[in-house]
Amino acid sequence: VLAPVDMIPVLCAHVPSLRLAQVEESVLADDWSSGCLVRDYWQALGVSTFAASPWQWEDAGEDVQGEARGGVQRSGQREVSMVLPIAPRPMCPKETRVTVIYRVRSGSTGSGKRCIRIESSSVSHDVPYGDHFSVEEELLFMPEDDGVSVRKSFTADFAKRTFFQSAIESQVRTAQREACDNLMTILQRYVQDDRAPDDEVDTPSDSKEGSQGEDDGEEFLAPFGDEGTGSDECEQDELETNPRISQDTSSVTIEVWELQRRTTVFHDDWRAPFLPHDLDKRARWVDCRFRKHPWVLLQTSSAAVCDRPPLEGPPAMHQHGQWAVAEVSRSAEDGWQYATDFYKSPKAWGSKAMMASCRRRRWRCTYVRAATIAKPR
């Protein structure tokens, strides 16, 4: 499997008038030349010597989405090599060789909805510690209303430990912002190029195409907060990736963990984590990996004194309802779980506060996508 489970959602967008068949034809083409989504995506980043290996086609019949059984009509893998320019940074060359392994799956979900999923794993060979990590990405295209919904997530997967892991992750996050902007620009250009009176449209919205054509698309780009380090693995049975996007992409359920620590097991002065090695946990409101939640834009000290989740959603998303404590197994009546330290494994947490120095509880809230973005943040 190319893409790990623990991915960070970065983009959820709707591109009006874009045809799913157009995306499918582009990414499954034998020749990834100019006009192909993947080729145009990298060309926008200024790459040179772009070369793609032949397709290795796989058997159909597996899942397109892990959570729903669906029919895979076509699934293949290929390798791409290129030279990517690098912005001036200390100890970095002006350009680096990049190898990307793509896996593309086209089919339908268990509900019968068509979808295209693109997974990629890229390695930069000439950057410092380039052999220590890879950038894993997922792109999911599904038909929605008069166009196509686009979801993108990523993570930096480290095969070796390095003291510079936090700095590398920060650079990867910065690069994802530019990548999302380029992707949306390319998709909008495809819509403009595809406009013709005799074009075949996948959805019965021909009468609305004229009014929808001026819409630049609805989008949320998740802002990132500072990240710390951790040695434990997230277990997906309880620590779920944030956010969880609904099937129709019109709403997203955000989860955030509240962390507290007390001075000693003989005190009852619970407050935000305060020890030097707590790092991002000192912000109190964290994601499943105990890193400052991406939607917490306050300074760490300001977030630590908030009694309710101080999350601020992207401009395209509006809060629907109030934050509430979510039920977690092996927890007290008020939702708290207790442990001797901030372990990521759910098996280390229980409902008894005796001899425990740390506690946590999970909060949830639903956000819905706004019809328009009134004022960008």
Side-chain angles (χ1 to χ4, degrees):
V1 177
L2 294 178
V5 175
D6 191 15
M7 305 289 282
I8 303 173
V10 63
L11 176 68
C12 177
H14 173 232
V15 185
S17 301
L18 179 66
R19 297 182 297 113
L20 187 66
Q22 184 181 6
V23 178
E24 181 177 18
E25 180 181 358
S26 171
V27 298
L28 291 178
D30 290 330
D31 183 17
W32 277 3
S33 57
S34 295
C36 170
L37 175 62
V38 177
R39 180 66 175 267
D40 291 347
Y41 173 84
W42 286 107
Q43 281 187 335
L45 299 178
V47 303
S48 59
T49 63
F50 183 97
S53 67
W55 281 104
Q56 297 179 3
W57 298 110
E58 304 173 0
D59 293 335
E62 54 181 306
D63 287 349
V64 174
Q65 287 182 292
E67 69 273 11
R69 291 294 299 178
V72 175
Q73 295 185 357
R74 207 171 189 191
S75 177
Q77 181 173 303
R78 74 190 312 181
E79 181 178 301
V80 174
S81 60
M82 68 197 81
V83 176
L84 177 69
I86 301 177
R89 293 192 185 99
M91 300 176 60
C92 283
K94 294 182 179 179
E95 58 185 21
T96 179
R97 294 166 298 148
V98 178
T99 301
V100 188
I101 299 177
Y102 280 97
R103 186 184 184 191
V104 180
R105 290 182 283 178
S106 170
S108 59
T109 65
S111 60
K113 181 178 290 189
R114 293 281 299 164
C115 65
I116 300 171
R117 183 171 183 173
I118 304 174
E119 300 174 354
S120 66
S121 176
S122 61
V123 177
S124 300
H125 300 284
D126 302 319
V127 300
Y129 301 97
D131 60 339
H132 284 55
F133 72 99
S134 63
V135 178
E136 312 290 329
E137 297 184 4
E138 290 180 351
L139 267 172
L140 182 63
F141 298 87
M142 298 179 66
E144 179 186 1
D145 297 331
D146 66 324
V148 172
S149 69
V150 184
R151 309 180 196 176
K152 188 175 190 290
S153 56
F154 80 99
T155 190
D157 186 25
F158 284 83
K160 303 177 184 179
R161 293 185 179 275
T162 170
F163 180 76
F164 296 98
Q165 179 170 336
S166 296
I168 293 172
E169 290 175 333
S170 177
Q171 293 178 4
V172 171
R173 292 196 304 271
T174 301
Q176 286 295 319
R177 291 182 179 275
E178 181 182 0
C180 287
D181 290 340
N182 288 335
L183 176 63
M184 293 302 298
T185 300
I186 293 169
L187 294 177
Q188 290 295 336
R189 188 175 73 236
Y190 285 175
V191 172
Q192 297 297 328
D193 294 343
D194 193 47
R195 292 191 188 280
D198 56 345
D199 279 345
E200 179 183 352
V201 182
D202 290 343
T203 56
S205 56
D206 297 338
S207 61
K208 300 179 182 180
E209 185 173 359
S211 60
Q212 295 287 349
E214 299 178 358
D215 190 355
D216 288 334
E218 302 165 9
E219 169 183 354
F220 94 55
L221 182 64
F224 297 101
D226 298 330
E227 294 190 354
T229 58
S231 59
D232 296 316
E233 296 291 336
C234 255
E235 295 199 12
Q236 288 300 120
D237 59 345
E238 188 168 306
L239 300 181
E240 301 173 2
T241 304
N242 293 300
R244 302 191 309 172
I245 303 172
S246 66
Q247 188 73 5
D248 61 1
T249 71
S250 62
S251 66
V252 54
T253 299
I254 300 297
E255 295 182 348
V256 61
W257 287 90
E258 179 184 7
L259 305 182
Q260 289 189 347
R261 183 189 288 277
R262 56 181 173 180
T263 305
T264 70
V265 296
F266 305 106
H267 292 75
D268 199 27
D269 55 343
W270 294 101
R271 60 190 187 276
F274 51 86
L275 297 180
H277 67 268
D278 285 330
L279 300 176
D280 274 13
K281 303 180 187 70
R282 291 181 292 180
R284 183 171 177 174
W285 305 98
V286 299
D287 61 15
C288 72
R289 295 166 298 170
F290 293 164
R291 299 175 182 176
K292 185 178 179 182
H293 196 282
W295 287 17
V296 175
L297 305 183
L298 298 176
Q299 295 291 332
T300 296
S301 57
S302 300
V305 298
C306 295
D307 293 328
R308 296 185 66 83
L311 275 64
E312 182 178 347
M317 304 297 286
H318 289 174
Q319 183 174 331
H320 180 69
Q322 300 297 321
W323 284 96
V325 176
E327 182 179 353
V328 180
S329 61
R330 299 187 301 278
S331 63
E333 293 183 358
D334 53 2
W336 288 110
Q337 290 182 309
Y338 298 87
T340 56
D341 202 353
F342 292 113
Y343 300 106
K344 293 180 182 177
S345 172
K347 299 177 182 178
W349 296 84
S351 59
K352 304 297 183 181
M354 183 178 297
M355 304 306 295
S357 300
C358 304
R359 68 179 184 178
R360 68 173 188 174
R361 62 179 174 180
R362 183 166 60 185
W363 294 71
R364 278 181 181 167
C365 185
T366 299
Y367 282 72
V368 297
R369 189 171 61 202
T372 59
I373 302 177
K375 183 179 180 182
R377 183 170 61 207

